[in-house]
Amino acid sequence: MAVVGVLALQGSFHEHIAALRKLGVNGVEIRKPEQLLNVNSLIIPGGESTAMAKLAEYHNLFPALREFVQLGKPVWGTCAGLIFLANKAAGQKIGGQELVGGLDCTVHRNFFGSQIQSFETELSVPELASKEGGPETFRGIFIRAPAIIEAGPDVQVLADYPVRSNRLSTADSPTEDKKENVEEESKVIVAVRQGNIMGTAFHPELTADTRWHSYFLKMANVSGEEASSSLVPAEASTNVNQRPLNDLPTFQS
């Protein structure tokens, strides 16, 4: 059986492991550098990115995580995990936090605001639907979510989300001349892929739709028959899409 590592320092790692289990794949919790030697792919979950970074530093995980990415092994970061994988992060707290890097983009931390501004929305996901079937949309759950405000030429956009132009102009983007064209901007990037790295600003693990996990498994070449079903019937799992937002986990990117 294929084995996927899930960074288990803090956040929604249990939910990712449950999603992998639905696809017949074994997810193992990763807390120490040496455990990365036993897996060929890794998911970095959503959670509180500052806390995750401090724990990763305490366990001396950053060198091993960077090596894992640089070796070309598939890595997927959701919400806080996306921040970890970005080469640059804006909107940081004083002193910032250490990043793993590898993804040629700038992520704005907490772009969508505080916990009470968390939301759900239907995202257009043509690439996901093309590869995994199912609807042309995916129910994105954004909890104190980041967003990608700049992406390099080799970064493939998998999903974006419309925002007001003035929201982009007030984002803490390091490129000042972007403000001149802000009226032409109408969307912010919320899912990307660059080679072996994937990032989503939302939480697929909190839904019953496992297509993002199936897509990642195919990136990792561990799916095959084990991940042949990418759509899980709603009755097989609690459908988080029907829960009010105040029942969702409290995360802070």
Side-chain angles (χ1 to χ4, degrees):
M1 178 182 290
V3 179
V4 178
V6 182
L7 193 65
L9 301 176
Q10 191 263 352
S12 57
F13 58 91
H14 287 299
E15 288 82 356
H16 276 291
I17 290 173
L20 292 169
R21 190 179 301 121
K22 292 175 189 175
L23 296 172
V25 174
N26 186 26
V28 297
E29 298 178 7
I30 302 295
R31 294 187 176 88
K32 298 179 180 180
E34 58 268 25
Q35 293 174 313
L36 288 169
L37 299 174
N38 301 320
V39 297
N40 292 318
S41 59
L42 179 70
I43 297 174
I44 304 178
E48 208 290 306
S49 63
T50 304
M52 289 172 63
K54 289 179 179 179
L55 288 167
E57 185 176 5
Y58 176 79
H59 291 288
N60 195 32
L61 269 162
F62 277 107
L65 288 170
R66 292 191 185 104
E67 182 180 12
F68 196 92
V69 171
Q70 290 164 4
L71 287 173
K73 296 182 179 181
V75 183
W76 173 21
T78 63
C79 198
L82 168 62
I83 299 172
F84 258 51
L85 293 173
N87 284 345
K88 297 179 182 178
Q92 294 255 49
K93 294 180 179 178
I94 295 175
Q97 69 179 64
E98 196 167 355
L99 302 174
V100 174
L103 186 58
D104 184 17
C105 67
T106 299
V107 172
H108 190 285
R109 188 179 182 273
N110 291 138
F111 179 90
F112 292 104
S114 65
Q115 176 74 14
I116 61 171
Q117 293 168 301
S118 300
F119 64 98
E120 298 180 20
T121 188
E122 294 294 332
L123 298 169
S124 176
V125 288
E127 167 71 7
L128 185 70
S130 172
K131 294 294 193 295
E132 300 301 322
E136 290 286 329
T137 61
F138 184 90
R139 190 71 173 174
I141 297 178
F142 292 80
I143 305 174
R144 298 204 68 173
I148 296 170
I149 56 176
E150 289 185 339
D154 296 327
V155 176
Q156 179 186 7
V157 176
L158 302 178
D160 51 31
Y161 179 74
V163 294
R164 288 185 230 168
S165 295
N166 62 357
R167 180 66 189 89
L168 283 171
S169 67
T170 56
D172 190 15
S173 173
T175 308
E176 292 299 324
D177 58 10
K178 285 276 183 182
K179 294 181 181 179
E180 296 177 6
N181 298 322
V182 72
E183 291 305 320
E184 299 176 11
E185 305 259 3
S186 60
K187 293 182 179 180
V188 69
I189 303 169
V190 294
V192 293
R193 178 180 177 180
Q194 182 184 359
N196 60 304
I197 305 174
M198 185 168 77
T200 55
F202 47 93
H203 291 267
E205 76 279 9
L206 298 182
T207 77
D209 186 341
T210 56
R211 286 182 294 164
W212 285 104
H213 289 82
S214 181
Y215 184 89
F216 177 68
L217 292 174
K218 289 184 173 69
M219 283 175 54
N221 294 320
V222 299
S223 54
E225 292 182 359
E226 293 177 337
S228 60
S229 175
S230 61
L231 282 175
V232 177
E235 60 268 23
S237 174
T238 301
N239 189 345
V240 83
N241 296 337
Q242 297 178 356
R243 287 191 285 165
L245 281 173
N246 57 10
D247 288 342
L248 293 175
T250 300
F251 294 145
Q252 180 179 357
S253 299

